[in-house]
């Protein structure tokens, strides 16, 4: 495949990645007899992109954990399953003396406990938007049983299935949440469920040794850092003291709170990395690269020990083959590294190579890659209540409506979303400058202004570097510097989605 040669050339060009290149070539030369063309595509991508990316990430995690004298790493379900497999393969040769454990958790399972610990935090996560946001879906985020959900929906006036499954716009979502907050029966049932699950979670964490004395760290894919924040709140409640947490993540695109612990990012960091790095990154596809062969954790139950309750899992793609191919690549990498006496992490010098691989694969996939990975069933909601193809087939109308400029224009023409004065300042600028100028004005944050009065703005802001002539200024003077602090990423996020 022509794209495979492109990936190999990227790896070969970086001397610090030569063991990753050798491992990819070794695997491709020993390709098994694969009859299915889709599985063949998965094999090539695993050997030239997924394998090198995940193996370099986990090699970095182990190397950094050793330097920090961390003696226990908890790999979080489910993205952490393949990461754990790779870590064990590397450590069999490295003998790092670090204990690896797999922790069955999920946002859905842990946030049931949040209701009893931090009610405000519970509602903040509860009200997030998704592709198919309906009254039924919102209520399922609580983790309540199907019978409880139907009963509560009936109390709120959603007696018929059509009404309960009707899509809610943002304003309708707010009205539904306000009605739910005032429903006494909901609070009664949610309080009971939350306390039961919190007790089981406490027993499970103590059973697994999470939060006990000794340096430990979490390992996961990342993105917003909300899982570590939730775990920190639960552990503080369990041990009645502040538990210091370190988390290793492939990427964190949001600014994190200092009280939630240390966030160590491999590829991009919301505090340091340029926004373009995560704009040109597909976190949904990365999660599909890390698929596990078991269902999502939806709760916990007590048997002889505390056991996770897993959602039903149906294998409808080639995930078993992908997992096996990635594991084989990690074995090849360990073998090549041992032969060259270089079983150590050198990926810190190769961030540009990893970026070139990811951008080439995620933003410019081949037709075969787009077809195979685009049909993976995926859900963007914590409930996994629905599944849609990762890259669904779109009509010409859908494509037009999702073009960045079209979506930006729809966004800025809403009177409630933009100040009238901005329109008056667009005339002197080119099209490219208009986009970034609108973004800055939409944030309602002048680069010279202080954000101390509004901590929420400070937490969600990030830095963007532009090159704009000083002579081209708007009346408000926002283009007088090359570095701008943005409070909102709304319009930039359109490019990412």
């Amino acid at each position: 495949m022509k794209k495979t040669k492109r990936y190999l050339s990227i790896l070969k060009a970086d001397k610090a990645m030569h063991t990753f290149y050798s491992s990819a070539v070794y695997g491709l030369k020993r390709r098994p007899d694969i009859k299915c063309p889709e599985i063949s595509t998965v094999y090539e991508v695993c050997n030239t992109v997924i394998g090198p990316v995940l193996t370099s990430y986990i090699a970095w995690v182990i190397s950094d954990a050793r330097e920090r004298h961390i003696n226990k790493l908890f790999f979080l379900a489910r993205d952490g399953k393949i990461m754990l497999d790779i870590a064990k393969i590397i450590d069999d040769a490295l003998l790092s003396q670090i204990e690896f454990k797999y922790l069955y958790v999920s946002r859905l399972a842990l946030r049931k406990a949040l209701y009893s610990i931090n009610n405000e935090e519970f509602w903040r996560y509860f009200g997030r938007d998704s592709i198919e946001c309906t009254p039924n879906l919102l209520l399922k985020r609580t983790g309540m049983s199907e019978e409880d959900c139907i009963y509560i929906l009936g109390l709120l006036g959603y007696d018929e299935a059509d009404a309960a499954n009707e899509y809610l716009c943002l304003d309708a979502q707010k009205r539904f949440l306000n009605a739910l907050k005032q429903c006494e029966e909901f609070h009664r049932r949610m309080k009971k469920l939350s306390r039961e699950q919190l007790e089981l979670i406490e027993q499970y964490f103590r059973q697994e040794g999470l939060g006990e004395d000794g340096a430990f760290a979490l390992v996961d894919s990342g993105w917003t850092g909300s899982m570590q924040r939730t775990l920190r709140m639960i552990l503080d409640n369990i041990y009645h003291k502040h538990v210091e947490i370190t988390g290793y993540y492939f990427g964190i695109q949001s600014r994190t709170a200092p009280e939630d612990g240390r966030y160590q990012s491999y590829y991009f960091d919301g505090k340091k990395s340029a926004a373009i790095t995560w704009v040109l990154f597909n976190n949904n596809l990365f999660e599909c690269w890390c698929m596990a062969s078991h269902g999502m954790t939806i709760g916990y139950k007590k048997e002889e020990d505390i056991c996770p309750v897993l959602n039903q899992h149906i294998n409808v793609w080639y995930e078993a083959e992908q997992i096996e191919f990635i594991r084989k690549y990690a074995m090849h990498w360990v073998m090549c590294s041992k032969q060259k006496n270089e079983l150590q992490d050198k990926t810190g010098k190769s961030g540009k190579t990893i970026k070139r691989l990811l951008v080439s694969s995620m933003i410019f996939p081949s037709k075969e890659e787009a077809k195979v990975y685009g049909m993976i069933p995926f859900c963007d909601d914590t409930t996994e209540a629905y599944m849609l193809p990762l890259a669904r087939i779109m009509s010409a109308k859908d494509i037009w409506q999702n073009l960045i400029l079209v979506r930006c224009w729809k966004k800025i023409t809403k009177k409630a979303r933009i100040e009238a004065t901005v329109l008056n300042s667009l005339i002197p600028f080119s099209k490219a400058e208009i986009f970034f100028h609108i973004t800055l004005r939409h944030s309602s944050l002048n680069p010279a202004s202080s954000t101390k009065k509004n901590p929420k703005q400070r937490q969600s802001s990030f830095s963007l570097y532009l090159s704009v002539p000083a002579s081209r200024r708007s009346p408000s003077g926002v283009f007088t510097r090359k570095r701008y602090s943005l409070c909102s990423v709304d319009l930039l996020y359109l490019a990412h989605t």
Side-chain angles (χ1 to χ4, degrees):
M1 192 168 67
K2 184 177 179 181
K3 201 62 190 289
T4 300
K5 294 180 179 179
R6 168 64 178 162
Y7 298 143
L8 289 174
S9 67
I10 292 173
L11 288 170
K12 188 177 181 179
D14 189 346
K15 293 182 179 180
M17 296 285 285
H18 65 92
T19 54
F20 293 91
Y21 168 73
S22 300
S23 306
V25 172
Y26 183 89
L28 291 172
K29 284 183 177 179
R30 288 156 181 79
R31 177 202 302 263
D33 184 20
I34 301 174
K35 303 296 184 183
C36 176
E38 287 80 10
I39 297 179
S40 181
T41 297
V42 173
Y43 184 83
E44 292 181 1
V45 174
C46 286
N47 271 273
T48 56
V49 181
I50 306 175
V53 168
L54 290 182
T55 303
S56 62
Y57 167 48
I58 297 305
W60 168 79
V61 169
I62 295 174
S63 176
D64 193 82
R66 291 177 70 184
E67 291 180 4
R68 297 177 186 275
H69 305 289
I70 291 172
N71 52 38
K72 191 179 292 186
L73 290 175
F74 289 91
F75 293 79
L76 305 186
R78 289 173 288 171
D79 293 357
K81 185 62 175 70
I82 187 62
M83 299 176 189
L84 173 63
D85 292 344
I86 295 172
K88 288 180 177 179
I89 291 169
I90 294 175
D91 200 58
D92 283 345
L94 197 61
L95 302 176
S96 66
Q97 305 297 317
I98 298 175
E99 182 182 0
F100 302 134
K101 303 202 75 172
Y102 188 57
L103 200 67
Y104 285 93
V105 291
S106 72
R107 290 172 292 173
L108 178 67
L110 295 184
R111 286 172 188 168
K112 295 178 189 178
L114 268 186
Y115 181 87
S116 297
I117 297 172
N118 190 320
N119 199 262
E120 182 180 346
E121 195 80 6
F122 169 83
W123 288 106
R124 187 166 72 89
Y125 290 124
F126 184 77
R128 289 185 173 178
D129 194 18
S130 61
I131 293 175
E132 296 190 3
C133 197
T134 65
N136 193 23
L137 178 74
L138 285 173
L139 206 51
K140 282 183 177 180
R141 290 179 183 174
T142 63
M144 284 183 170
S145 66
E146 187 73 24
E147 293 77 12
D148 283 346
C149 287
I150 293 173
Y151 182 75
I152 297 298
L153 287 170
L155 292 179
L156 297 177
Y158 296 92
D159 297 311
E160 298 182 4
D162 291 343
N165 293 297
E166 183 179 348
Y167 176 78
L168 298 177
C169 65
L170 289 176
D171 289 337
Q173 289 177 36
K174 292 178 181 178
R175 289 195 296 271
F176 177 81
L177 292 177
N178 288 334
L180 193 60
K181 288 179 182 179
Q182 296 172 12
C183 179
E184 293 183 3
E185 184 61 23
F186 166 76
H187 287 289
R188 187 184 69 80
R189 298 192 181 206
M190 191 65 219
K191 187 179 296 183
K192 181 175 181 293
L193 174 65
S194 180
R195 287 176 176 173
E196 290 173 353
Q197 286 299 306
L198 179 58
E199 183 178 342
L200 290 170
I201 289 171
E202 177 178 345
Q203 294 177 46
Y204 176 64
F205 285 178
R206 288 184 183 275
Q207 171 185 296
E208 299 301 313
L210 181 64
E212 293 179 347
D213 293 338
F216 73 94
L218 313 174
V219 184
D220 200 5
S221 49
W223 318 145
T224 65
S226 63
M227 183 66 83
Q228 180 167 322
R229 179 174 175 82
T230 302
L231 282 168
R232 191 268 303 169
M233 291 180 177
I234 293 174
L235 289 174
D236 287 356
N237 182 78
I238 291 173
Y239 293 102
H240 305 290
K241 65 177 182 178
H242 178 66
V243 177
E244 189 63 34
I245 300 179
T246 296
Y248 288 103
Y249 303 99
F250 191 81
I252 292 290
Q253 66 191 44
S254 303
R255 288 186 176 271
T256 54
E259 64 268 18
D260 294 332
R262 184 185 296 111
Y263 289 79
Q264 299 293 114
S265 298
Y266 175 68
Y267 182 54
F268 56 83
D269 186 328
K271 295 180 180 179
K272 302 174 184 177
S273 304
I276 193 66
T277 304
W278 55 264
V279 167
L280 297 178
F281 179 82
N282 191 319
N283 55 324
N284 293 346
L285 177 57
F286 186 89
E287 290 176 18
C288 291
W289 289 354
C290 300
M291 286 191 296
S293 56
H294 65 78
M296 178 179 64
T297 305
I298 57 176
Y300 303 89
K301 62 182 179 180
K302 186 172 180 58
E303 295 180 349
E304 291 184 4
D305 294 321
I306 303 299
C307 302
V309 178
L310 304 179
N311 206 3
Q312 183 182 9
H313 177 72
I314 302 174
N315 188 354
V316 293
W317 192 70
Y318 311 107
E319 60 191 49
E321 290 83 357
Q322 177 176 264
I323 291 169
E324 184 60 26
F325 297 155
I326 295 172
R327 293 182 79 257
K328 284 185 177 179
Y329 177 87
M331 294 176 187
H332 296 160
W333 180 79
V334 169
M335 181 187 67
C336 291
S337 299
K338 288 174 69 176
Q339 287 176 352
K340 298 181 180 181
N341 197 27
E342 295 181 356
L343 190 58
Q344 54 183 312
D345 170 53
K346 289 191 175 183
T347 57
K349 300 178 181 178
S350 306
K352 290 183 179 179
T353 300
I354 297 298
K355 183 175 182 179
R356 290 177 66 195
L357 277 177
L358 289 172
V359 171
S360 182
S361 176
M362 292 180 167
I363 308 302
F364 304 103
S366 67
K367 183 178 179 180
E368 295 82 6
E369 292 170 353
K371 178 183 176 182
V372 172
Y373 282 91
M375 65 183 183
I376 297 176
F378 186 82
C379 180
D380 69 329
D381 195 79
T382 58
T383 61
E384 294 192 353
Y386 56 87
M387 288 289 177
L388 299 173
L390 186 62
R392 65 185 178 90
I393 297 175
M394 302 176 71
S395 65
K397 181 180 180 181
D398 290 334
I399 294 173
W400 168 256
Q401 290 179 341
N402 281 276
L403 289 175
I404 294 172
L405 291 178
V406 174
R407 295 178 71 180
C408 287
W409 179 250
K410 289 181 178 179
K411 196 83 171 178
I412 65 175
T413 51
K414 291 183 179 180
K415 293 182 180 180
R417 294 292 236 170
I418 193 168
E419 300 173 16
T421 54
V422 174
L423 297 175
N424 297 327
S425 63
L426 297 182
I427 299 173
F429 297 97
S430 66
K431 289 183 179 179
E433 291 170 327
I434 285 174
F435 173 74
F436 288 109
H437 182 58
I438 291 170
T439 305
L440 288 165
R441 294 291 293 162
H442 180 76
S443 71
S444 69
L445 184 65
N446 190 294
S449 65
S450 170
T451 60
K452 291 182 179 179
K453 296 181 179 179
N454 193 335
K456 290 186 178 180
Q457 285 189 342
R458 186 176 65 252
Q459 290 175 11
S460 61
S461 66
F462 65 93
S463 298
L464 176 67
Y465 290 83
L466 304 175
S467 179
V468 181
S471 59
R472 305 294 298 278
R473 301 178 183 176
S474 71
S476 59
V478 294
F479 281 116
T480 56
R481 300 183 182 184
K482 288 187 178 181
R483 182 176 182 179
Y484 307 100
S485 292
L486 280 71
C487 172
S488 171
V489 296
D490 228 1
L491 294 179
L492 283 179
Y493 183 73
L494 295 177
H496 184 48
T497 55

